[in-house]
Amino acid sequence: MEGIAFSPSNNFNCYPQIHPIKTLIPIPFRFCNYKTNNPNQSLLSFSINSSKTTQTPITQPPPLVVVGSANADIYVEIDRLPTEGETISAKNGQTLAGGKGANQATCGAKLSYPTYFVGQVGDDAHGKLITQALGNGGVRLEYLKNLGGGVPTGHAVVMLQSNGQNSIIIVGGANMSSWPDKLSDQDLDVVKNAGIVLLQREIPDSVNIQVAKAAKGAGVTVIMDAGGMDAPMPQELLKFVDIFSPNESELRRLTGMPTDNFEQISQAAAKCHKMGVKQVLVKLGAKGSALFIEGEEPITQPIIPAAQVVDTTGAGDTFTASFAVALVEGKSKRECLNFAAAAASLCVQVKGAIPSMPDRKSILNLLQSV
C-alpha cells in the first residue's frame, strides 16, 4: 500500500508522516498523562534531559483501533421522504466519505489520539475518496486494504431531510466481501496492542468475532456499536464484548423488548446483561444517553443542545468514538458520557459525517460554556 504523508496542523501535531509498514511501530508522542485499561500491555516511555543530547523514556498511549466499514455516502437533500411509488426531486446531491468504521476512526484522530483503521475499500474512485479523507483526518492507514478484482467500495444512499434527520440505505461492497477466513497476524497484532478496540456491524460477524476474541485475550477493552446489519447478534460475539452500544431502536430489535420509556430501556439493558454483556451504553437521541453497568445504578447524560441541527449522520459514531477516547485516557464513566455528548452536539451542526468530526479544543470549549 502506498504511504500517505500530510503536513501537521494544530489539530494533528502529534502524528509523524506515515510510511508503509507491516507491523505496528511505536510512535513517539509529546504527551505523557495517558492510562491504559490493558494490564498486560507494556508501554515504552521517554523523557528528555536538557543537559544531554540523548532521549530517555516518556509515556506513550496505546492506540485506538477501529475495525469496520468505509463507505462513500451519496447524499440527496430532500424536503421529505417519498411515499411508495412516488418520485420526488432532490434539492442537492453530493458524495462524501463515511461508513461507521471510517467515521469512528476519523473522530478518534480528530481528537488528536493515535488511531488505526482496519478495513477494506475497492480499487475505484470511491475507495480513493475514502482513503484520502481518512489520511487527511490523521488516521493511520497501514491496515486499510485496497481490494482488486472489481470489488466495489461500499456505499450508502443518505436521504437527508430539511430538519436534519436522515434515512440510509447501505450497499456492503468491499466491507462485506473478500475478508480472509482467518485474519493475518499483522492485523491481529495491532488489535492486541490497542488501548481500546471499536467494532460495528457493517462488516461480517465472523471478522468481528476474530477481532473481539484476540482483543479480549490480550486484555484490551472491546466496544461494540450495534449499528449495521439487521440481524440477531451472535452470542459468540457478545461474550467477548465489554461495552455494547445500541441506540433505542437497535436495543428494541436485538432484545425483542419495548424501549418507549426509561424503565423499558432499563429492562432491555438488563436482558443484554443476561446475554453476557456487563455494560450497555444506550444512545437515546434527543433524550441523551445512559450507561447501564450490571449491579450498579444507571449513569444518565442529557443531550447538550446544538445551536442548529444540520445533519444527524455520524452523530452516533461520534458519540461512541469520543466515549472510547475519553475512556482510554482514564476518565470516569460520567466524564466519558459528558465528553461524548458534547462531541455529538457539535457533529450534528455540520453536513457530512467525516467533515463534521469535532476536534478536542472545540469540545472542551463547549463543555466550559454549558
Side-chain angles (χ1 to χ4, degrees):
M1 184 176 71
E2 293 295 324
I4 293 177
F6 52 90
S7 298
S9 66
N10 291 336
N11 293 334
F12 305 110
N13 58 10
C14 59
Y15 293 101
Q17 292 185 325
I18 303 175
H19 299 283
I21 58 173
K22 294 186 179 295
T23 57
L24 179 62
I25 295 176
I27 311 167
F29 293 91
R30 298 179 192 168
F31 32 79
C32 58
N33 60 342
Y34 286 90
K35 303 176 184 178
T36 174
N37 294 320
N38 182 356
N40 300 320
Q41 188 171 49
S42 298
L43 298 180
L44 296 177
S45 60
F46 302 88
S47 63
I48 299 175
N49 185 332
S50 60
S51 64
K52 298 181 180 180
T53 58
T54 58
Q55 293 186 352
T56 56
I58 67 174
T59 303
Q60 80 173 21
L64 172 67
V65 175
V66 182
V67 183
S69 60
N71 289 328
D73 288 345
I74 303 168
Y75 273 79
V76 290
E77 297 181 34
I78 54 179
D79 289 324
R80 60 176 177 82
L81 294 174
T83 60
E84 185 175 349
E86 181 185 20
T87 299
I88 63 174
S89 296
K91 296 183 294 184
N92 192 21
Q94 61 181 318
T95 301
L96 300 170
K100 295 189 71 64
N103 293 345
Q104 292 176 1
T106 304
C107 181
K110 285 291 291 288
L111 295 174
S112 296
Y113 196 85
T115 302
Y116 286 83
F117 178 60
V118 181
Q120 299 186 154
V121 296
D123 186 18
D124 52 24
H126 286 166
K128 293 179 176 64
L129 170 73
I130 291 165
T131 301
Q132 183 177 18
L134 289 168
N136 289 343
V139 180
R140 300 287 303 227
L141 299 179
E142 288 89 335
Y143 302 90
L144 174 63
K145 294 179 177 60
N146 190 310
L147 302 180
V151 178
T153 299
H155 60 279
V157 178
V158 181
M159 293 170 282
L160 178 62
Q161 299 177 69
S162 55
N163 62 0
Q165 299 303 311
N166 62 65
S167 298
I168 303 174
I169 302 172
I170 295 175
V171 180
N175 295 315
M176 298 298 294
S177 302
S178 304
W179 286 91
D181 292 335
K182 185 177 185 301
L183 294 179
S184 69
D185 290 340
Q186 289 89 346
D187 287 342
L188 294 180
D189 281 345
V190 73
V191 166
K192 293 174 183 177
N193 284 280
I196 283 183
V197 168
L198 267 179
L199 302 174
Q200 328 81 38
R201 300 197 72 202
E202 291 181 348
I203 61 173
D205 284 331
S206 59
V207 176
N208 280 331
I209 289 170
Q210 290 183 65
V211 171
K213 183 177 181 180
K216 192 76 168 180
V220 177
T221 297
V222 177
I223 299 179
M224 178 82 215
D225 190 310
M229 68 180 73
D230 182 7
M233 183 72 67
Q235 184 62 43
E236 186 181 3
L237 175 56
L238 283 176
K239 69 181 181 181
F240 298 121
V241 171
D242 295 287
I243 302 175
F244 181 55
S245 183
N247 60 27
E248 287 175 277
S249 61
E250 292 159 352
L251 181 63
R252 179 174 60 250
R253 185 174 71 244
L254 292 168
T255 62
M257 300 176 67
T259 57
D260 298 323
N261 55 53
F262 192 80
E263 178 59 31
Q264 291 177 344
I265 291 167
S266 299
Q267 292 172 0
K271 184 172 181 178
C272 292
H273 293 154
K274 292 178 181 178
M275 295 165 67
V277 182
K278 302 301 182 184
Q279 301 182 60
V280 183
L281 175 60
V282 186
K283 300 177 281 276
L284 301 172
K287 292 177 285 187
S289 60
L291 178 62
F292 298 88
I293 302 175
E294 188 173 30
E296 300 181 18
E297 287 296 314
I299 305 173
T300 59
Q301 171 66 47
I303 65 163
I304 297 176
Q308 181 185 14
V309 178
V310 174
D311 181 8
T312 58
T313 307
D317 298 327
T318 302
F319 180 93
T320 306
S322 300
F323 181 94
V325 169
L327 185 63
V328 77
E329 289 178 344
K331 305 296 189 297
S332 71
K333 298 293 176 56
R334 189 171 294 281
E335 289 174 319
C336 292
L337 286 170
N338 197 29
F339 186 78
S345 177
L346 291 170
C347 174
V348 301
Q349 299 181 53
V350 181
K351 184 168 64 177
I354 285 181
S356 70
M357 295 300 167
D359 58 33
R360 188 183 295 266
K361 181 179 179 180
S362 298
I363 295 173
L364 296 178
N365 287 342
L366 177 58
L367 287 173
Q368 289 175 356
S369 68
V370 297

